[in-house]
């Protein structure tokens, strides 16, 4: 097996000519071949920090899934306050609202569980296509429904599509992005999620006073899904999936487009490194059953720690209570006295979108861990301020929010401000970082790991979405937001003690981080080592350029004439 993976002598000579610090043997490329741990520390390609039009187009077409995710989860906020008696009852009860909302989450939970395993079998691209078909079917079903239960069915169908898209779109983008820009590319998907929510709120505000306008709100979600189906015919499959199928030529062609500024030998080496990782993945896949690979997620220490981090971050994202604002913000702002609740909700979704752009710029530069450590305290502060504001605002109503009551404008404005602070902090960190989950898992269990992490996200979402209105009624709004603040504090402590930095590490290198513990110090060591290698490479190139200039300047005109 080892002999099959040796680099040919001509390749070694060519690589040795580049630099004595570069890769000169297989041992420099592969560490611990039995564990399939790939060392890409020395595999540095020119122009890794530059993005080609191929990557941009590929990512933008893929992120339509994020747009659909955001639109279909955000549109229900405006729909709930405009449905009226269209579904039978004179007005929807809190229980019916929670069922309609949580049906989407239940569907997403099931879709997320199936997505990763399905994509390992069919490839990433077909699963996105399946999600689009489901999006279209769910949008039409909602627009044409006339009963509460048919609406619940339509929302459940949409949820299955959301679960598939939420799991596979980030994974597909990660596997088709240059290592140094991987975080930023995945954040683009989150940007599109937030843009979808903004569009949903804007359309909700536009149709707020139109009878039956909610049907247009939910039905318009079919349009971007139809567009993405067309685009998928022109998108490539993940190079890792192609190599698993034995199609090295197609994988090499795609890698050449991803690293368009790299030298041919650098691309060759990256394909070799990737092929070594995939070969080990194939061995594991062919010699184990899916049940055994599921078991390895718990029994294997490296996989277990990666799963704890992936699931823990997704649980943190949902249990902080953010999605209750996406689902019920219009309802909340209507109760505290705003005349245009959907328009005020647009402020919240707009804040989410703008600060996600901040994360887009800084997530690869600052790093996932650091951006989480800095942003989580802002979430805790915002929720605590909201809890205090609700406490004083609802004193005259016994702590409860009663629709139609005239509340203090000052306290209502402070509630809005506190929610903006919370959402801005969330969008900068927690709204993005958990979706980098695919980079935590080695290839042979990546589909399973991302499915379980995504399922954790939707399980938390289901819990929060189906209990929010009841929680507000039972322990008052002040108690509910204080409870969410406490959960945020626990999440921040989890980040401090368990979440390693993965920015700048290749998907294969991240596996090395979890060999001994949660790898916070190990990830820092690997990042420092890569930085040192890049620095040496830049120095070598500058020195080589200097030698070339000296040779040119030392050649006199007379010498040139003699030649």
């Amino acid at each position: 097996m080892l002999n099959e993976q040796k680099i040919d002598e001509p390749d070694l000579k060519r690589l040795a000519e580049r630099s004595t610090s570069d890769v000169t043997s297989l041992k420099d490329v592969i560490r611990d071949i039995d564990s399939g741990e790939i060392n890409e520390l020395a595999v540095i390609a020119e122009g890794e920090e530059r993005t080609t039009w191929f990557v941009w187009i590929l990512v933008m077409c893929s992120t339509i899934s994020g747009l659909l995710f955001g639109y279909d989860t955000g549109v229900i906020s405006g729909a709930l306050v405009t449905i009226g008696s269209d579904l039978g009852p004179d007005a929807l009860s809190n229980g019916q609202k929670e069922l309609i909302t949580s049906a989407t989450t239940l569907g997403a939970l099931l879709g997320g569980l199936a997505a990763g395993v399905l994509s390992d079998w069919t490839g990433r691209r077909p699963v996105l296509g399946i999600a689009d078909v489901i999006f279209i079917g769910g949008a039409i079903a909602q627009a044409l429904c006339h009963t509460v239960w048919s609406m619940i069915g339509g929302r459940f169908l949409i949820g299955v599509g959301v679960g598939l898209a939420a799991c596979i779109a980030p994974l597909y983008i990660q596997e088709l992005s240059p290592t140094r820009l991987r975080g930023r590319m995945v954040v683009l998907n989150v940007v599109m999620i937030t843009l979808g929510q903004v569009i949903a709120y804007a359309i909700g505000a536009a149709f707020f006073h139109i009878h039956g306008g909610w049907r247009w709100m939910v039905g318009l979600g079919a349009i971007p899904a139809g567009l993405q189906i067309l685009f998928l015919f022109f998108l490539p499959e993940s190079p890792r999936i192609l190599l698993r199928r034995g199609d090295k030529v197609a994988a090499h062609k795609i890698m050449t487009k991803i690293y368009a500024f790299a030298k041919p030998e650098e691309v060759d080496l990256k394909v070799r490194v990737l092929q070594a990782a995939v070969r080990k993945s194939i061995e594991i896949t062919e010699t184990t059953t899916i049940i055994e690979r599921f078991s390895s997620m718990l029994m294997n220490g490296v996989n277990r720690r990666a799963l704890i981090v992936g699931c823990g971050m997704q649980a943190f994202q949902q249990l902080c209570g953010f999605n209750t604002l996406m689902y019920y913000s219009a309802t909340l702002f209507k109760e505290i006295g705003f005349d245009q609740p959907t328009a005020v909700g647009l402020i919240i979704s707009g804040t989410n979108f703008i600060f996600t752009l901040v994360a887009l710029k800084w997530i690869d530069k600052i790093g996932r861990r650091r951006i989480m450590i800095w942003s989580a305290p802002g979430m805790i502060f915002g929720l605590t301020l909201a809890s205090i504001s609700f406490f004083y605002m609802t004193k005259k109503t016994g702590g409860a929010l009663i629709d139609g009551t005239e509340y203090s404008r000052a306290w209502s404005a402070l509630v809005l401000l506190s929610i903006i602070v919370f959402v801005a902090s969330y969008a900068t960190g927690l709204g993005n970082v958990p979706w980098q989950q695919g980079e935590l898992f080695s290839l042979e269990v990546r589909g399973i790991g991302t499915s379980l992490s995504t399922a954790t996200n939707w399980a938390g979402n289901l819990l929060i979405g189906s209990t929010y209105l009841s929680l507000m009624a039972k322990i008052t709004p002040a108690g509910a937001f204080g409870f969410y603040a406490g959960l945020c504090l626990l999440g921040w402590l989890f980040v401090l003690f368990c979440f390693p930095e993965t920015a700048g590490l290749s998907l294969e290198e991240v596996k090395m981080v979890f060999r001994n513990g949660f790898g916070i110090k190990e990830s820092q060591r690997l990042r420092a080592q890569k930085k040192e290698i890049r620095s040496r490479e830049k120095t070598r190139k500058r020195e080589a350029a200097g030698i070339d200039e000296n040779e040119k300047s030392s050649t006199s005109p007379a010498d040139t004439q003699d030649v």
Side-chain angles (χ1 to χ4, degrees):
M1 189 67 195
L2 188 61
N3 291 333
E4 289 178 11
Q5 297 186 35
K6 281 189 177 179
I7 296 175
D8 298 334
E9 287 300 321
D11 293 332
L12 292 180
K13 290 178 181 178
R14 187 168 63 252
L15 291 170
E17 289 172 1
R18 287 174 53 203
S19 169
T20 56
S21 67
D22 213 337
V23 180
T24 56
S25 71
L26 186 65
K27 291 180 180 179
D28 293 326
V29 181
I30 303 175
R31 290 184 180 178
D32 194 0
I33 189 67
D34 292 334
S35 341
E37 291 171 355
I38 306 304
N39 174 21
E40 218 179 36
L41 292 173
V43 188
I44 307 296
E46 288 187 20
E48 280 197 18
E49 70 287 349
R50 299 165 65 186
T51 308
T52 64
W53 279 109
F54 170 77
V55 173
W56 279 118
I57 292 171
L58 183 152
V59 170
M60 294 310 296
C61 292
S62 305
T63 55
I64 293 175
S65 293
L67 180 74
L68 287 164
F69 176 1
Y71 184 84
D72 284 309
T73 53
V75 75
I76 196 61
S77 177
L80 286 177
V81 295
T82 57
I83 285 175
S85 60
D86 289 353
L87 296 180
D90 291 337
L92 295 175
S93 67
N94 281 349
Q96 288 170 329
K97 288 180 180 180
E98 286 179 342
L99 280 174
I100 290 171
T101 302
S102 57
T104 306
T105 310
L106 179 60
L109 171 60
L110 298 177
L113 273 174
V117 178
L118 183 62
S119 74
D120 283 343
W121 178 50
T122 65
R124 316 303 190 205
R125 190 178 59 168
V127 177
L128 293 178
I130 293 170
D132 287 326
V133 173
I134 294 173
F135 276 126
I136 294 171
I140 294 172
Q142 288 177 92
L144 299 178
C145 70
H146 290 281
T147 65
V148 172
W149 283 106
S150 60
M151 181 66 172
I152 291 171
R155 292 301 296 171
F156 175 81
L157 195 59
I158 279 287
V160 175
V162 167
L164 292 172
C167 180
I168 299 305
L171 179 58
Y172 180 66
I173 293 168
Q174 281 176 328
E175 293 185 342
L176 281 157
S177 299
T179 297
R180 293 187 65 187
L181 295 172
R182 190 176 63 241
R184 187 177 299 178
M185 295 295 103
V186 174
V187 171
L188 272 175
N189 189 61
V190 184
V191 169
M192 293 297 280
I193 293 174
T194 59
L195 178 60
Q197 290 166 344
V198 170
I199 293 171
Y201 276 84
I203 290 176
F207 285 96
F208 185 75
H209 295 293
I210 298 176
H211 179 68
W214 64 272
R215 296 186 185 278
W216 287 98
M217 296 182 206
V218 296
L220 287 173
I223 295 174
L227 288 175
Q228 190 178 48
I229 287 178
L230 296 177
F231 293 147
L232 285 175
F233 285 104
F234 304 98
L235 296 184
E237 185 52 86
S238 160
R240 288 164 173 82
I241 295 296
L242 291 172
L243 286 173
R244 285 180 62 168
R245 295 173 179 169
D247 195 348
K248 184 180 176 181
V249 174
H252 191 284
K253 184 178 179 181
I254 294 169
M255 291 289 280
T256 302
K257 292 181 178 179
I258 294 172
Y259 295 98
F261 303 103
K263 297 176 182 176
E265 59 267 26
E266 291 172 336
V267 176
D268 290 342
L269 188 55
K270 277 192 172 287
V271 173
R272 287 172 182 271
V273 169
L274 190 58
Q275 191 175 19
V278 170
R279 183 179 287 124
K280 186 63 185 178
S281 169
I282 292 172
E283 289 176 6
I284 294 172
T285 302
E286 290 179 349
T287 56
T288 59
T289 65
I290 190 169
I291 301 298
E292 289 172 331
R293 292 196 293 280
F294 262 109
S295 299
S296 76
M297 294 301 300
L298 300 176
M299 304 305 294
N300 181 291
V302 172
N303 293 339
R304 182 173 61 250
R305 285 185 280 272
L307 185 64
I308 289 171
V309 172
C311 292
M313 292 301 294
Q314 290 287 17
F316 182 14
Q317 187 186 82
Q318 290 304 321
L319 297 180
C320 72
F322 172 79
N323 272 333
T324 60
L325 297 176
M326 289 298 103
Y327 298 148
Y328 300 113
S329 61
T331 302
L332 176 65
F333 293 132
K334 182 173 178 287
E335 288 178 339
I336 65 177
F338 287 99
D339 296 330
Q340 293 287 335
T342 306
V344 177
L346 184 58
I347 296 174
I348 301 302
S349 60
T351 301
N352 189 26
F353 174 68
I354 291 168
F355 280 87
T356 302
L357 295 178
V358 174
L360 175 66
K361 179 174 177 61
W362 294 106
I363 193 166
D364 281 321
K365 295 179 181 178
I366 294 177
R368 287 83 154 127
R369 175 180 167 81
R370 193 179 301 174
I371 208 167
M372 279 301 309
I373 290 173
W374 289 355
S375 62
M379 296 168 57
I380 298 169
F381 172 77
L383 288 170
T384 303
L385 182 60
S387 178
I388 295 170
S389 302
F390 275 120
F391 177 79
Y392 286 104
M393 185 177 72
T394 59
K395 267 190 171 182
K396 65 179 181 180
T397 54
L401 276 178
I402 300 176
D403 199 6
T405 303
E406 191 71 28
Y407 291 108
S408 165
R409 291 291 182 181
W411 285 116
S412 296
L414 197 56
V415 167
L416 178 59
L417 176 63
S418 63
I419 291 176
I420 288 173
V421 171
F422 166 69
V423 170
S425 302
Y426 171 92
T428 305
L430 191 58
N432 303 283
V433 173
W435 294 114
Q436 309 289 334
Q437 61 190 10
E439 65 189 15
L440 299 172
F441 304 101
S442 53
L443 183 60
E444 66 273 7
V445 294
R446 189 168 295 153
I448 296 172
T450 53
S451 283
L452 292 174
S453 298
T454 303
T456 301
N457 178 290
W458 292 111
N461 193 326
L462 179 62
L463 178 64
I464 291 294
S466 61
T467 60
Y468 169 74
L469 294 177
S470 301
L471 191 68
M472 293 275 281
K474 293 286 185 183
I475 66 173
T476 74
F481 278 80
F483 176 67
Y484 294 143
L487 292 177
C488 279
L489 176 60
L490 293 176
W492 186 49
L493 293 174
F494 176 81
V495 170
L496 287 173
F497 293 105
C498 299
F499 185 60
E501 183 57 76
T502 56
L505 302 179
S506 73
L507 294 179
E508 284 65 47
E509 287 165 348
V510 173
K511 181 177 178 179
M512 299 168 63
V513 168
F514 293 109
R515 287 198 295 187
N516 299 299
F518 286 100
I520 293 172
K521 291 184 178 179
E522 177 66 8
S523 65
Q524 293 170 346
R525 185 189 67 79
L526 282 174
R527 281 165 50 82
Q529 192 173 348
K530 290 194 80 167
K531 185 176 180 180
E532 182 183 348
I533 289 173
R534 283 195 294 268
S535 178
R536 287 205 306 265
E537 182 68 10
K538 287 180 181 178
T539 301
R540 182 193 67 80
K541 288 178 179 178
R542 282 198 299 267
E543 290 174 350
I547 292 171
D548 290 341
E549 289 298 322
N550 290 335
E551 287 178 350
K552 288 178 182 179
S553 61
S554 64
T555 304
S556 65
D559 293 333
T560 305
Q561 289 173 2
D562 289 340
V563 172

